[in-house]
Amino acid sequence: MARRGAGGGDGSALKRALLVSGGLALAWLAVETAFKPLLDRLRGAISRSDPAHDPDDDDDDDDLRGDEKGDTRGRNKALNEEQQDGGAPPSN
């Protein structure tokens, strides 16, 4: 009866490496298939992004406008700053 030692000799290490590699490839394909819509959106957003643009450098005038969907965070911020500066409180 042959003993299997650390050397193996019959290619068991190669079989194990091929099995692990095949399993990783299959897992990667499963993840890509399962999350395809999400990954496509993420990749599209990355390709459309401008790495030279820093959102922190935007002008403060944009904060005063708010957006068309009724976002009033910028206007509320301006009103709060006006109150701190001694302006009249807003009437609700």
Side-chain angles (χ1 to χ4, degrees), residues 19-37 39-40 42-43:
L19 183 65
V20 168
S21 299
L24 288 173
L26 185 62
W28 180 257
L29 285 173
V31 167
E32 285 281 336
T33 304
F35 296 109
K36 184 173 177 39
L39 292 173
D40 286 343
L42 287 174
R43 289 176 182 142

Side-chain angles (χ1 to χ4, degrees), residues 1-10 12:
M1 197 170 228
R3 290 180 68 202
R4 290 190 178 169
D10 60 352
S12 64

Side-chain angles (χ1 to χ4, degrees), residues 6 11 18 31 56 63 69 71 76 78 82-83 88 90:
L18 288 175
V31 167
D56 293 333
D63 290 339
K69 296 176 184 166
D71 183 13
N76 288 339
E82 186 177 302
Q83 285 178 345

Side-chain angles (χ1 to χ4, degrees), residues 55-66 73-75 77-78 81:
D56 293 333
D57 291 340
D58 287 342
D59 292 335
D60 290 334
D61 295 338
D62 294 339
D63 290 339
L64 298 176
R65 257 195 325 231
R73 287 178 285 182
R75 283 181 259 157
K77 179 181 172 187
E81 289 174 358

